[in-house]
């Protein structure tokens, strides 16, 4: 309980955590950026302190800064970033997916990738490496940061209100909901190429079938 007690709206520690952790977890995915913001929502679930808006603002600012730090690193230190993140088979596959998806979806992908496990880092770094237009990137990451901060924080508040007497249970439930959303998006992402391949294969067989019937 004391851990949640230290994460109140009037605490300088809360603002610092809300800003710094989401900013750094793009480069260091081991840092629990989303978990921290959800925990802040749980901790302030029963509060009507107007400074709660500042907590959400700090979380959004941190997310925005982290995304743009990734872009800057990819743009300024391309070879080093390539060696660090995209030399393994998994890394090369992630970058190839990011480039294909950016070409097709653009700003929409930058927004959605905030909720794809591991997708945020691959996409934001690739945007810097490939010279994606900075203005469009900045706009997309600003929108994504606000949506993500509101979603994570209020998911935590809902969990905290549902389990007012047991905030740890509220945190677990809120995290579970967040993980389920991310997993659902990832499953959809993986299934879409398979669906396109099946459609292409079906279309390729149609002329042959038609010619056989004609003959």
């Amino acid at each position: 309980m004391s851990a949640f007690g230290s994460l109140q709206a009037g605490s300088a520690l809360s603002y610092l955590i809300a800003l710094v952790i989401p900013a750094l977890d793009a480069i260091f995915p081991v840092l629990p950026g989303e978990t921290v913001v959800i925990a802040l929502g749980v901790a302030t679930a029963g509060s009507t302190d107007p400074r709660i808006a500042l907590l959400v603002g700090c979380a959004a600012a941190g997310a925005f800064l982290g995304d743009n730090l990734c872009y800057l690193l990819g743009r300024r230190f391309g070879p080093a970033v390539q060696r660090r993140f995209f030399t393994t088979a998994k890394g090369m596959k992630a970058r190839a997916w990011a480039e294909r998806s950016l070409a097709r979806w653009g700003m929409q992908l930058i927004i959605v990738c905030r909720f794809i496990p591991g997708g945020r880092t691959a996409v934001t770094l690739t945007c810097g490496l490939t010279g994606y237009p900075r203005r469009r990137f900045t706009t997309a990451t600003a929108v994504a940061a606000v949506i993500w901060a509101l979603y994570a924080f209020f998911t935590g508040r809902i969990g905290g209100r549902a389990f007012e007497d047991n905030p740890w249970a509220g945190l677990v439930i809120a995290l579970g909901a967040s993980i389920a959303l991310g997993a659902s998006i990832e499953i959809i992402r993986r299934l879409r190429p398979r669906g396109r391949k099946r459609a292409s294969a079906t279309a390729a067989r149609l002329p042959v079938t038609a010619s056989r019937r004609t003959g």
Side-chain angles (χ1 to χ4, degrees):
M1 190 69 176
S2 60
F4 288 99
S6 64
L7 297 178
Q8 296 303 310
S11 168
L13 177 64
S14 296
Y15 302 129
L16 183 63
I17 289 175
L19 179 68
V20 174
I21 302 300
L24 294 180
D25 74 347
I27 302 298
F28 305 104
V30 69
L31 293 175
E34 187 165 295
T35 301
V36 163
V37 178
I38 289 175
L40 287 167
V42 172
T44 59
S47 173
T48 57
D49 192 321
R51 289 174 295 182
I52 285 173
L54 182 56
L55 278 178
V56 178
C58 286
F64 176 79
L65 290 173
D67 289 345
N68 283 269
L69 174 61
C70 281
Y71 183 95
L72 181 63
L73 290 173
R75 190 70 171 161
R76 297 288 180 87
F77 307 101
V81 168
Q82 178 69 31
R83 289 193 300 270
R84 172 64 180 83
F85 292 94
F86 301 118
T87 52
T88 65
K90 183 178 179 180
M92 288 187 287
K93 184 178 179 181
R95 178 173 175 178
W97 166 79
E99 289 189 16
R100 288 195 309 270
S101 301
L102 278 168
R104 182 171 185 179
W105 302 106
M107 293 173 67
Q108 296 176 49
L109 175 71
I110 297 171
I111 295 171
V112 172
C113 78
R114 263 244 147 235
F115 301 90
I116 300 176
R120 174 194 179 191
T121 301
V123 169
T124 51
L125 287 174
T126 299
C127 283
L129 286 167
T130 59
Y132 189 84
R134 183 62 183 270
R135 182 175 296 180
R136 296 177 66 187
F137 180 83
T138 301
T139 301
T141 51
V143 172
V146 172
I147 294 173
W148 174 82
L150 289 169
Y151 154 76
F153 190 82
F154 284 99
T155 296
R157 280 182 70 88
I158 292 170
R161 284 183 177 275
F163 296 89
E164 291 184 14
D165 298 328
N166 191 349
W168 289 106
L171 177 61
V172 170
I173 296 298
L175 283 174
S178 175
I179 291 170
L181 175 65
S184 299
I185 294 174
E186 179 67 8
I187 290 170
I188 293 170
R189 180 182 77 82
R190 290 178 180 273
L191 290 178
R192 286 180 67 89
R194 295 179 186 178
R196 287 196 296 268
K197 287 179 181 178
R198 289 174 184 170
S200 298
T202 301
R205 287 196 300 268
L206 284 176
V208 176
T209 304
S211 62
R212 286 177 180 174
R213 288 179 178 175
T214 303

